């Protein structure tokens, strides 16, 4: 089975490989850079889910693949809480059915959330705050905000596992 991940980010490819390990025999996972059709920093659940769906569909259409996988990170306000949260959504499609799943959400510290709310993108803000380059391709905000307990690979893999349900079990 061939899976296309709608991103050139190696973290997203690894997250898919981690999520399907032992579930899909003889799977190959390829990274395919595609357009998400949403803003560079998705805001809100609706835009983040739309980006994941678009990436999955565009990845599937990019070649001879059995499944397209779209992973999208965004930020959102959560009712009855304070601050801004990092959210992550995943869509998987075979062209007919779409599976959706989400990874964990992390409340952003005010020093980070305020900058993102003012229009900056989370990735560069995290690079600046941590004094590192390409945090999004390493531990991600998830790793930094959980002291490494959950890194970006793990967080995204949880969302991929949830979205893969219709394609790996007959319960749907």
């Amino acid at each position: 089975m061939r899976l296309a991940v709608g991103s050139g980010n190696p973290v997203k490819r690894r997250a898919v490989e981690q999520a399907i390990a032992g579930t899909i025999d003889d799977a190959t996972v390829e990274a395919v850079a595609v357009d998400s059709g949403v803003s560079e920093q998705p805001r809100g659940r609706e835009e983040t889910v739309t980006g994941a769906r678009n990436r999955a569909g565009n990845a599937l259409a990019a070649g001879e693949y059995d499944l397209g996988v779209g992973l999208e990170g965004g930020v959102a306000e959560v009712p009855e809480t304070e601050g801004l949260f990092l959210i992550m959504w995943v869509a998987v499609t075979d062209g007919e059915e779409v599976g959706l799943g989400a990874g964990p959400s992390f409340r952003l510290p005010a020093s980070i959330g305020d900058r993102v709310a003012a229009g900056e993108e989370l990735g560069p803000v995290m690079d600046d705050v941590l004094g590192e380059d390409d945090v999004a391709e390493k531990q991600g905000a998830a790793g930094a905000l959980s002291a490494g307990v959950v890194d970006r690979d793990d967080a995204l893999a949880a969302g991929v596992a949830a979205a893969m349900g219709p394609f790996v079990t007959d319960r749907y």
Side-chain angles (χ1 to χ4, degrees):
M1 177 175 281
R2 293 183 67 211
L3 290 82
V5 180
S7 174
N9 187 326
V11 171
K12 293 181 178 183
R13 182 187 47 75
R14 286 194 312 264
V16 173
E17 290 171 340
Q18 180 179 329
I20 66 169
T23 304
I24 300 176
D25 295 330
D26 299 324
T28 59
V29 179
E30 299 175 31
V32 180
V34 298
D35 185 27
S36 69
V38 298
S39 61
E40 200 63 34
Q41 178 61 75
R43 295 180 184 279
R45 184 174 50 207
E46 182 178 346
E47 185 179 17
T48 307
V49 170
T50 296
R53 284 178 177 270
N54 290 347
R55 285 183 185 278
N58 291 341
L60 183 68
E64 296 294 319
Y65 298 105
D66 299 296
L67 295 173
V69 184
L71 300 92
E72 193 71 47
V75 296
E77 293 179 358
V78 176
E80 300 179 20
T81 66
E82 293 184 22
L84 199 60
F85 283 74
L86 164 64
I87 62 172
M88 48 199 85
W89 277 86
V90 179
V92 178
T93 187
D94 61 3
E96 294 179 18
E97 186 164 9
V98 177
L100 292 172
S105 297
F106 293 84
R107 186 178 62 82
L108 299 174
S111 61
I112 296 169
D114 291 349
R115 289 176 62 179
V116 175
E120 293 185 63
E121 292 177 37
L122 181 59
V125 170
M126 293 303 299
D127 287 353
D128 181 49
V129 168
L130 298 176
E132 299 177 22
D133 290 328
D134 301 320
V135 170
E137 293 188 9
K138 298 174 186 164
Q139 68 178 334
L145 297 175
S146 70
V149 172
V150 178
D151 66 14
R152 192 170 187 213
D153 290 32
D154 296 332
L156 290 171
V160 173
M164 288 294 294
F167 305 102
V168 297
T169 179
D170 60 1
R171 305 217 188 279
Y172 287 85

